[in-house]
Amino acid sequence: MVRRPLPRILSKDSAQIARTQLARSRELARTAADSATDVLHPLITVTRGLRLLAAAGRRRWADTPKDKRGPLLFFVASVFLIVALMPYGPLLALITVMAAAAWHGRDRTPPAPEGPDASQTERLQALYEALVPYFAGADDPAPLYAHGGEWEKAYAAHEFDDAGRIGHLVIRYPAYFPDGDPQARARIEQLLTVKAGRSREYHFAWDEEGNQLTVTALAPLPADIPAQRFVTAPGETVLGFTDPSEVQRTLPLSYGEERIDVPPVVWRTGIRSTEPHLLAMGHPGSGTSTLLRSIALQTLQYGDVLIVDGGGTGEYACLTGREGVLAVECALPGALASLEWAAQETERRLIAINLARQAGDPPPEDTRRPLWILLDRPSVFAHLATADGRKDPQTLLQVPLRHGRAANVTVVVAEQFDSAEALSDAVRQHTRARVVLGTAEPQQVEAVLGMAPHTTPMAQVPPGRGYARLGSGPVHRLQVPRTPDPYDDATSDADRQAVLELLPPRATAVGAADLSKPADLSKPTEKKAPVAAEAMAAES
């Protein structure tokens, strides 16, 4: 009996070979299409000309008055009869018609200019002169950059947008330029941003081996994508959207009345995640609360959420009393009780999972459901705790931060730059996923992300716009989906309806009957849903 070979598992090398073969097949198909177009170009031109001549004849016949159509038809028939009776008449008529069709069917598109015009040349020359002090060397016998030099040698490629501004530029620089020095790079990037236009964002790609710098003007990220259900797997959270060249995945989204594919920044959490916790930083009004609301609406589909709001402005009142929302705390006593319960719940999950593994059983069902702890501005509680002589609530986060990945517990902290020094060491060390929103200095962005972005920040950015970095990965531009507070009077009707549709239903009547009693968080297995009176009044 002959054994049939087992199917080979698609490895990384075989997948790379398959992609290479697919790319070659596409290239061959493109080459064949271009060759066919070149061969059939005369036929295409003649066919286009015959169509234009026929259309002109129909228009002439439609414009002719009815009383003159008879003589015109008689004249055309006479011409055809004379041509048919002449020696070589049909052949000459056919050649004449083909020549006229070829003339009328020719490509009349004006040729693209071979080089930049006068204004573009002036822009390139001005940029070249601005780079001379940085790239010129006093001991260089053949300097590439010199005052009054030729900019054509310094630029390998250049493109302009419809407004006449630089859209793409490849700059050559001498080998002795210290391209490995971050400060030297920053000076060049700042200069190029000023000369090319401050109203746009630019991406800088340094090629140290080839001594080339590629500058690309980036299109603005869509800032009006509303909150909606994203096509993601359990454990995946969409932080926002980024450039198509940065990620290899797109999500189908509803954009008005259309369906578009947008590249997302997906944050993966859970037992196998290398970045189980997140820290978001920004200035007031930058959109950190919007990010936390977006995360809460996504995680409530498959997990439980505990919210601690240090701002106390009611940003999360819409989540109060919803299914899956354990508590929304805005006061220091409630925050301490909630975080103490979260620490005990994390320990309980760890013990239950460990006992199940020792017995060879799967983890208990109550440990599989993810638990999310969302803290907005914990520094406010730190100041209040110091004034009241209580412990900082951030000290209760050490257990969830250190052991949260094994216990399926995720912590998300949002803080402002002016209170960044109030963050505890545990929050700084264990939040490997970082987000910076709003207008921030390059030093602040680098201090939070641990790496400077390859794009220049804009002076004015919409709310929810910033940068994201997951662990040791690259820095991505980020635009958080529009998730405003539906109870805010400034929220539009469309945005309010989009958020309300994502909210889970209210808790059961049994839970609502106990609203007058204080929430008892000493029982880790019992879900509580305290209610803020202001939120209930606003919804009613």
Side-chain angles (χ1 to χ4, degrees), residues 126-247:
L127 184 59
Y128 173 83
E129 295 290 340
L131 292 173
V132 169
Y134 300 93
F135 288 153
D139 300 333
D140 193 348
L144 182 62
Y145 288 85
H147 292 289
E150 299 178 357
W151 60 265
E152 292 86 353
K153 297 180 181 179
Y155 302 149
H158 54 81
E159 296 178 3
F160 291 85
D161 57 9
D162 298 337
R165 299 180 299 179
I166 296 176
H168 180 76
L169 186 63
V170 180
I171 302 174
R172 296 190 182 100
Y173 58 87
Y176 51 78
F177 175 75
D179 50 7
D181 185 7
Q183 297 182 357
R185 286 189 175 191
R187 288 193 295 267
I188 299 299
E189 294 175 359
Q190 182 180 6
L191 173 64
L192 294 174
T193 302
V194 173
K195 292 299 182 182
R198 294 179 179 269
S199 60
R200 297 180 297 172
E201 291 183 270
Y202 300 91
H203 180 270
F204 298 96
W206 291 84
D207 182 11
E208 293 87 351
E209 296 181 357
N211 296 325
Q212 288 186 353
L213 171 60
T214 303
V215 184
T216 305
L218 299 175
L221 296 177
D224 52 351
I225 296 180
Q228 54 192 283
R229 293 296 182 196
F230 302 118
V231 184
T232 56
E236 293 183 346
T237 304
V238 177
L239 299 179
F241 311 102
T242 185
D243 299 304
S245 60
E246 297 295 329
V247 295

